[in-house]
Amino acid sequence: MQIFKVGGAVRDRLLGKPVTDIDWVVVGATTEEMLAKGYRPVGADFPVFLHPKSGEEYALARTERKSGRGYGGFTFHASPEVTLEEDLIRRDLTINAMAEDDQQNLTDPYQGQRDLEARILRHVSPAFAEDPLRVLRVARFAARYAGLGFTVAPETLELMRQLSESGELEVLTAERSWKEISRALMEDQPQVFIQVLRDCGALKVLMPEVDALFGVPQPEAHHPEIDTGLHTLSVLEQSALHKQPLTVRWACLLHDLGKGLTPEEQWPRHIAHEHTGLKLIKAVNERFKAPKDCQELALLVGKYHTHSHRALELKASTLLELLQSFDVYRRPQRFEEFIAACEMDARGRKGLEQRSYPQAEYLRGAAKAAREVAVQPLLEKGFKGPELGEALKRERLKALKAYKENS
C-alpha cells in the first residue's frame, strides 16, 4: 500500500503558489484494508475515504470507462492492481496528472512539469473528450493562470471544439455547470474564461445570449472599444481587478444582453436594450439555476444600469422609483452591489478604465437622504396602512428634491 499526493497540490507547489486542498491516491489497497485502518467511506459508488484524523480525502487508484453521456456517464474500476500511472492518465490536464510521495519524489508520466514550465494547458489523453465538464474546467484554469502566461494547447482547444459540437455540453446539469462558472468568475481573470469558451465554440452552446454580443457595435463616442462582446469582457475584467463579489461579476457578464437583440438597421444605437434584455437575463439565470441573490442583482442591473450612468440628471421622482425598486431601506447591500456593477460597466471601456465615477457617491447620498426620513412623526399624525406608505413616499420625495438642490 502506497500513498501519493496528487493533482492540484503538486501543481501549485511546483508553481510556488499556496496549497489549499490536498488530494491523495492510495495504490495497492482494498476497501477492506482502508476500513480496517479507520478510514471512513464517502458515498456508496466511489472508492473515496476520509482520513480518520485529518478528514482529508483518500481515493483508491482507479480506472474509468465511458458508459453514457455527460459528466456522470462513467463506470469506475478500483483494485490493488491499478497502477499510479493508470490512475493519473484519466485526469484532465498534464499539469494535474503529477504525483509525489512523502519525500516529494515526483511521478510525472505525462510531462506535466514540462507543460508547467512552458505555461501550457494540455490534455493528458484522448479520453479527455469523453467528459464535457472538462471544457469548462480548462477554461477556468485558463482564467486562473492567465496572469502567469498560461495558454490552452491548440490540440486541446480542438478537442474542446469537438466536445462543444457533439451535443455533450447540453447534457451537463445546471448544478455542475454553475459550480464551474461561479468558480471561474471568481478567478483573477474571469474574462479569459469567457474568451476560451468562445474560442472553442462552447459559449454559443452554453450562453448563446452572451456569444451573440460579439460583433455587435455600439456608439464609439461612449464605447471606444465599439464591440459589445469585447466591452462585456472588459467589464468582467474590471470586476475582478476591483475584487467584486460573485453577484456583481455575474451581473457584469449579463448586463448588456439586450444589445444582442437590436436589429442591425438600428446599429450602433440600442434603444431600450435594458428592457429587451430582461427576458434573456432571466433565461440564463434559470438555465444555470444561479443563486437567488445573483439572479436578482443581474435583473436589476440589466434594467437600471443606464439610470445609474445618468444619475446626476435624474428627476427626484425617478430617483425615488429607483431606490424603491431596490428596497434600499431593508436591503442596502444590494443597492451597493448595483452601484459597483454600474461602475465596472463605466470602467470597462477602452481608455476610460481610470475615469472617476461620481454617480456612485451621488447615488449613495440619495439613498442616505431617503433612508433618513423618519416614520415616527407620520405615525403620530395618524397615518397607517396604505396611507402611511403614500405619506412616507411624499416625505422621501421631498428629501430627494432637497438633496438634488444641495448637490
Side-chain angles (χ1 to χ4, degrees):
M1 176 170 164
Q2 292 174 287
I3 296 176
F4 297 90
K5 193 182 287 183
V6 295
V10 181
R11 175 198 69 224
D12 288 344
R13 184 185 71 77
L14 292 171
L15 280 172
K17 295 178 81 69
V19 173
T20 46
D21 295 327
I22 299 179
D23 292 318
W24 304 89
V25 160
V26 184
V27 177
T30 63
T31 296
E32 291 71 28
E33 285 176 281
M34 297 296 283
L35 295 174
K37 288 179 182 290
Y39 287 82
R40 303 189 306 280
V42 178
D45 312 327
F46 234 44
V48 178
F49 304 83
L50 298 180
H51 191 281
K53 289 182 180 168
S54 70
E56 290 177 335
E57 286 193 357
Y58 286 66
L60 295 183
R62 62 189 189 267
T63 59
E64 63 185 31
R65 188 169 51 81
K66 185 78 167 165
S67 59
R69 297 190 78 195
Y71 167 77
F74 292 91
T75 51
F76 297 97
H77 169 67
S79 84
E81 286 74 45
V82 176
T83 65
L84 180 60
E85 288 74 15
E86 285 173 323
D87 182 272
L88 292 174
I89 201 170
R90 66 183 179 77
R91 294 169 189 271
D92 50 7
L93 297 171
T94 60
I95 65 167
N96 296 330
M98 296 180 283
E100 61 184 26
D101 62 17
D102 56 3
Q103 303 298 310
Q104 290 192 344
N105 294 313
L106 195 67
T107 300
D108 181 18
Y110 310 109
Q111 283 75 54
Q113 194 169 19
R114 179 197 66 188
D115 285 343
L116 265 190
E117 288 163 3
R119 301 300 196 241
I120 289 173
L121 302 172
R122 192 194 313 277
H123 63 282
V124 177
S125 78
F128 174 94
E130 294 175 350
D131 183 355
L133 192 68
R134 287 175 168 176
V135 172
L136 289 162
R137 273 177 60 81
V138 173
R140 174 165 66 81
F141 280 119
R144 178 182 298 177
Y145 295 122
L148 295 177
F150 276 82
T151 56
V152 181
E155 61 270 29
T156 302
L157 201 63
E158 180 54 37
L159 278 184
M160 292 163 70
R161 191 174 290 114
Q162 289 172 23
L163 262 173
S164 301
E165 291 168 359
S166 71
E168 284 263 331
L169 290 177
E170 287 97 321
V171 186
L172 289 174
T173 64
E175 292 77 11
R176 292 299 313 182
S177 297
W178 176 255
K179 189 177 178 184
E180 289 297 326
I181 290 166
S182 58
R183 288 177 73 186
L185 290 179
M186 293 309 293
E187 298 289 3
D188 286 344
Q189 296 201 34
Q191 77 282 4
V192 173
F193 172 72
I194 300 299
Q195 185 63 60
V196 170
L197 290 183
R198 179 166 159 76
D199 291 344
C200 71
L203 191 62
K204 192 164 52 182
V205 178
L206 295 166
M207 298 185 204
E209 302 86 350
V210 176
D211 192 68
L213 299 178
F214 290 86
V216 173
Q218 303 168 103
E220 193 175 354
H222 301 298
H223 286 278
E225 72 287 347
I226 299 175
D227 188 289
T228 308
L230 296 182
H231 166 64
T232 299
L233 295 183
S234 295
V235 177
L236 208 46
E237 181 179 14
Q238 288 298 316
S239 74
L241 285 171
H242 290 268
K243 310 290 185 201
Q244 298 296 349
L246 177 62
T247 45
V248 172
R249 297 186 193 204
W250 182 241
C252 285
L253 177 63
L254 305 185
H255 77 285
D256 262 350
L257 292 188
K259 290 180 179 177
L261 294 176
T262 305
E264 282 189 38
E265 61 270 18
Q266 291 179 22
W267 288 354
R269 297 180 71 208
H270 298 279
I271 299 158
H273 75 275
E274 306 90 345
H275 295 282
T276 55
L278 293 180
K279 63 183 176 187
L280 300 185
I281 295 172
K282 194 162 184 262
V284 179
N285 274 336
E286 288 174 358
R287 184 177 314 136
F288 298 110
K289 295 183 180 171
K292 194 178 174 193
D293 56 349
C294 287
Q295 294 203 27
E296 287 178 353
L297 189 69
L299 285 163
L300 287 164
V301 170
K303 186 173 182 179
Y304 291 114
H305 62 278
T306 50
H307 274 54
S308 176
H309 301 330
R310 295 184 293 107
L312 305 176
E313 308 152 29
L314 296 180
K315 294 187 297 190
S317 57
T318 310
L319 260 180
L320 179 62
E321 183 194 318
L322 178 68
L323 297 174
Q324 304 275 90
S325 299
F326 279 85
D327 191 7
V328 295
Y329 318 107
R330 290 181 302 177
R331 299 186 63 181
Q333 184 57 31
R334 185 168 64 175
F335 192 59
E336 196 54 48
E337 290 179 356
F338 164 74
I339 293 171
C342 294
E343 183 169 351
M344 298 308 100
D345 182 28
R347 289 181 183 277
R349 297 178 295 162
K350 193 176 178 186
L352 303 176
E353 295 86 356
Q354 303 304 320
R355 183 179 280 192
S356 65
Y357 192 68
Q359 295 93 324
E361 279 311 309
Y362 182 81
L363 286 171
R364 286 187 189 106
K368 185 170 181 284
R371 268 198 297 267
E372 284 175 351
V373 171
V375 182
Q376 194 57 37
L378 299 174
L379 290 170
E380 287 167 4
K381 285 181 182 174
F383 288 109
K384 55 186 175 185
E387 287 181 345
L388 175 63
E390 286 305 311
L392 199 50
K393 223 167 159 180
R394 285 194 298 273
E395 290 304 312
R396 284 170 176 160
L397 187 59
K398 251 190 260 180
L400 287 170
K401 284 178 178 170
Y403 172 72
K404 273 189 72 67
E405 283 168 20
N406 297 322
S407 293

